[in-house]
Amino acid sequence: MSALAELLAEGREQRVYSGAAWSVGNAQGPLDRGWTGTRSWEGRPLDGDDVWDLASVTKPVAGLAVMALVERGTLGLDATVGTYLPDYRGGDKADLTIRQLLTHTSGIPGQVPLYRDRPTRASLLEAVRLLPLTAKPGTRVQYSSQGFIVLGLIAEAAAGQPLDTLVERLVCAPLGMRDTVFRPDAGRRARAVATEDCPWRGRPVVGEVHDENAVVLGGVGGHAGLFSTLADMERLGAALAGGGRGLLRPDTFALMTAAHTDGLALRRALAWQGRDPVGSPAGEVFGPHSYGHTGFTGTSLWVDPATQRYAVLLTNRVHPTRTGDGIVAVRRAFHDAAARTPSLASGGRPIME
């Protein structure tokens, strides 16, 4: 077993998750990949074709679609929310910029369980619009799923297409990511890995988005809702390690992955987390200019442009409950081990499927 296989098998033994899949590679493809465990604690073994709820890894994928619109001139990074969303004009969010939404510096509050009191899409979107800002825009990094809900609405309004269509057209189709979708169909749900035994829904969740606000929105949001497979995430990881090839022009991709929060405590790129000085999920070995994102369900994607290395981790750490924080240590150890996986120059070679 590779070091990664041993590490993730141990995570299952410690009941951090019932299953995990991983891939580490570069622009040419994976150098180490595999899976361990089962789709649920009582379910069938993983087979590598499993479908995972990406949770907040949806954000940078949607962000890639947004940057494609910026590249085409459909959106402006420093244009305001009110430019695209008439309902927001005259409110406290009208002058927020697309850049501030992408960097989580808008002042829109973070994880708010709006679904508890707003059972319809229209009422939940109204609640997002009415949420008071909790910081002066541009002065603080405050992780905000609600900000990415607004960002998704802006992309739809600017392009005149639903967000799921935009993500498919601008990100998934160019890379051949055929199993990366919002609202999986019956065939994909049959391959899905279980997430939480959800108290709100009164049942285990399989093949349905875990995020409750996304449920009320109909399964599609700028903040959550995407499902994917290991093979598709490898395609995305390789494209990112290759400088965004097939997705964005080099200058647009460099802009997206550069730090945009200099002077603030946390390092953020456009829709990506940067490597923070302390406590980064990237661990200790990935370089200072690396970037990535994590998902609440136990997923992550991280890229180091200095070594052209990507690392994908897919788990169901919220199964059967969201209690416990074992994924924090597992994720950091995984990224450290991933960074040490032999490269092509030192004897590693891409694994051919």
Side-chain angles (χ1 to χ4, degrees):
M1 296 178 71
S2 70
L4 293 172
E6 291 182 1
L7 169 69
L8 295 172
E10 182 179 352
R12 173 181 159 83
E13 291 175 4
Q14 295 174 349
R15 297 190 71 82
V16 178
Y17 41 73
S18 77
W22 71 93
S23 179
V24 176
N26 53 31
Q28 286 72 50
L31 298 164
D32 189 339
R33 70 192 303 266
W35 46 89
T36 186
T38 52
R39 290 179 179 172
S40 68
W41 283 110
E42 300 79 26
R44 59 173 293 176
L46 300 183
D47 61 15
D49 198 32
D50 316 281
V51 173
W52 303 82
D53 182 341
L54 294 183
S56 284
V57 177
T58 299
K59 292 182 174 71
V61 180
L64 285 163
V66 167
M67 292 305 293
L69 296 177
V70 170
E71 186 173 273
R72 289 160 170 76
T74 306
L75 278 176
L77 277 180
D78 295 309
T80 64
V81 171
T83 301
Y84 304 101
L85 301 180
D87 288 351
Y88 280 72
R89 294 169 190 167
D92 63 353
K93 302 172 187 64
D95 294 330
L96 299 178
T97 66
I98 309 305
R99 189 188 305 268
Q100 288 168 341
L101 293 173
L102 285 165
T103 55
H104 297 276
T105 58
S106 68
I108 297 175
Q111 310 302 96
V112 184
L114 299 173
Y115 67 93
R116 293 176 181 170
D117 302 310
R118 303 290 186 132
T120 66
R121 175 181 171 85
S123 65
L124 191 142
L125 290 179
E126 178 188 45
V128 171
R129 179 171 57 83
L130 297 176
L131 281 172
L133 300 183
T134 55
K136 181 180 177 181
T139 66
R140 176 185 171 195
V141 175
Q142 181 181 17
Y143 185 73
S144 176
S145 285
Q146 278 64 238
F148 268 71
I149 291 174
V150 175
L151 187 66
L153 297 176
I154 290 171
E156 292 181 334
Q161 290 184 313
L163 182 62
D164 53 350
T165 300
L166 290 172
V167 170
E168 162 61 22
R169 179 168 65 87
L170 299 174
V171 183
C172 297
L175 298 183
M177 296 169 64
R178 293 179 292 275
D179 278 321
T180 302
V181 296
F182 293 94
R183 295 183 293 208
D185 59 18
R188 293 185 178 95
R189 289 197 302 271
R191 294 153 47 202
V193 177
T195 54
E196 188 174 15
D197 187 352
C198 176
W200 178 60
R201 281 167 274 201
R203 55 182 169 79
V205 177
V206 183
E208 177 187 2
V209 61
H210 176 261
D211 182 275
E212 296 94 342
N213 286 342
V215 172
V216 176
L217 292 176
V220 181
H223 69 303
L226 272 178
F227 288 74
S228 191
T229 60
L230 180 63
D232 273 9
M233 293 304 290
E234 287 175 328
R235 293 181 179 95
L236 178 58
L240 297 173
R245 71 172 183 218
L247 294 173
L248 299 170
R249 294 194 310 256
D251 59 328
T252 307
F253 187 71
L255 176 66
M256 184 185 191
T257 56
H260 286 257
T261 56
D262 291 341
L264 301 181
L266 299 175
R267 184 184 178 95
R268 293 294 178 267
L270 299 177
W272 296 102
Q273 298 172 306
R275 192 183 185 287
D276 294 326
V278 178
S280 172
E284 303 296 330
V285 185
F286 267 81
H289 300 294
S290 61
Y291 61 90
H293 214 286
T294 61
F296 189 74
T297 51
T299 58
S300 65
L301 168 62
W302 212 266
V303 181
D304 190 341
T307 59
Q308 298 183 319
R309 175 70 53 92
Y310 75 79
V312 169
L313 177 61
L314 304 170
T315 80
N316 61 339
R317 74 97 186 171
V318 293
H319 177 65
T321 73
R322 65 182 69 190
T323 58
D325 59 359
I327 192 62
V328 175
V330 170
R331 187 182 276 137
R332 286 171 58 83
F334 167 78
H335 287 133
D336 284 347
R340 297 186 177 104
T341 299
S343 66
L344 289 173
S346 57
R349 60 180 179 178
I351 300 169
M352 302 302 293
E353 294 187 4

